[in-house]
């Protein structure tokens, strides 16, 4: 008996583009934080990336992929995106806009391709993890392949924490 793998939009897009990836399923225990996902996969926090969708006046949208433990610096994100002010997309608007739920939002295969930025630190890894398009599924992919597929830009946009 063969087990049928249910492909997500992200996986179908990768297959069509002939981009190499590995899918990793993990048990969901109610928590959907990227930090929790990294722990479940037994991977370093800075190798598992979360996908954040931002908005400018609910009209223009940008996607940012950053390490699970880091926080998006909205001021820097706005500068990188070339806009005056940027804010996080409201959670209730995520599914209608992207086709993905909170905790399962992949930068790959959204309803519409938005300008995407991947944190520069991704270049330090042969492969990184991003959501596979549903809670409980991660895609392991070469960061340069991901950037090429999405026409994404590498940049620095996380908040820096100064310790005493």
């Amino acid at each position: 008996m063969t087990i049928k793998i249910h492909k997500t939009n992200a996986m179908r897009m990768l297959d069509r583009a002939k981009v190499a990836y590995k899918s990793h399923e993990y048990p969901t225990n109610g928590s959907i934080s990227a930090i929790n996902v990294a722990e479940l996969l037994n991977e370093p926090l800075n190798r598992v990336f979360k996908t954040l969708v931002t908005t400018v006046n609910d009209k223009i949208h940008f996607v940012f992929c950053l390490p699970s433990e880091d926080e998006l610096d909205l001021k820097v994100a706005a500068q990188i995106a070339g806009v005056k002010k940027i804010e996080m997309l409201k959670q209730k608007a995520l599914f209608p806009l992207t086709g993905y739920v909170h905790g399962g939002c992949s930068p790959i295969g959204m309803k519409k391709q938005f300008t995407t930025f991947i944190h520069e630190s991704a270049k330090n890894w042969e492969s990184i993890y991003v959501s596979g398009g549903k809670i409980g599924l991660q895609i392991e992919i070469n960061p340069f392949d991901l950037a090429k597929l999405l026409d994404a830009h590498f940049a620095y946009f996380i908040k820096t924490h100064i310790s005493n």
Side-chain angles (χ1 to χ4, degrees):
M1 183 173 104
T2 54
I3 299 172
K4 176 145 172 66
I5 297 171
H6 295 284
K7 299 264 182 168
T8 62
N9 285 343
M11 295 164 86
R12 284 189 287 276
M13 184 175 175
L14 288 164
D15 291 344
R16 274 193 308 274
K18 296 182 178 15
V19 174
Y21 70 95
K22 292 179 191 166
S23 60
H24 299 271
E25 292 194 59
Y26 57 91
T28 56
N29 60 1
S31 176
I32 55 171
S33 79
I35 291 173
N36 183 252
V37 170
E39 291 166 352
L40 287 167
L41 293 173
N42 199 27
E43 290 293 341
L45 295 177
N46 58 352
R47 188 175 178 201
V48 177
F49 281 59
K50 58 188 170 187
T51 302
L52 302 179
V53 182
T54 61
T55 186
V56 179
N57 299 326
D58 294 324
K59 292 183 179 124
I60 303 168
H61 302 90
F62 298 97
V63 176
F64 291 87
C65 298
L66 59 155
S68 62
E69 64 186 338
D70 292 319
E71 191 178 338
L72 181 63
D73 186 323
L74 292 172
K75 274 188 166 176
V76 174
Q79 289 172 343
I80 290 167
V83 296
K84 192 171 187 172
K85 185 180 178 189
I86 204 168
E87 54 190 36
M88 293 302 302
L89 184 73
K90 291 186 177 30
Q91 191 172 324
K92 68 179 181 185
L94 185 65
F95 183 76
L97 181 71
T98 66
Y100 291 130
V101 297
H102 177 70
C105 184
S106 179
I108 307 162
M110 290 185 184
K111 286 181 176 181
K112 181 181 175 201
Q113 184 63 53
F114 300 109
T115 301
T116 301
F117 299 93
I118 302 169
H119 192 263
E120 192 79 24
S121 65
K123 292 178 175 179
N124 298 333
W125 298 99
E126 191 174 307
S127 64
I128 60 170
Y129 293 81
V130 295
S131 174
K134 69 177 186 176
I135 297 171
L137 177 69
Q138 288 285 302
I139 287 174
E140 182 181 356
I141 187 170
N142 176 283
F144 296 99
D145 290 346
L146 178 64
K148 185 176 178 185
L149 177 73
L150 301 175
D151 195 23
H153 313 279
F154 289 102
Y156 289 101
F157 47 76
I158 59 172
K159 286 191 177 180
T160 51
H161 301 282
I162 302 168
S163 1
N164 296 346

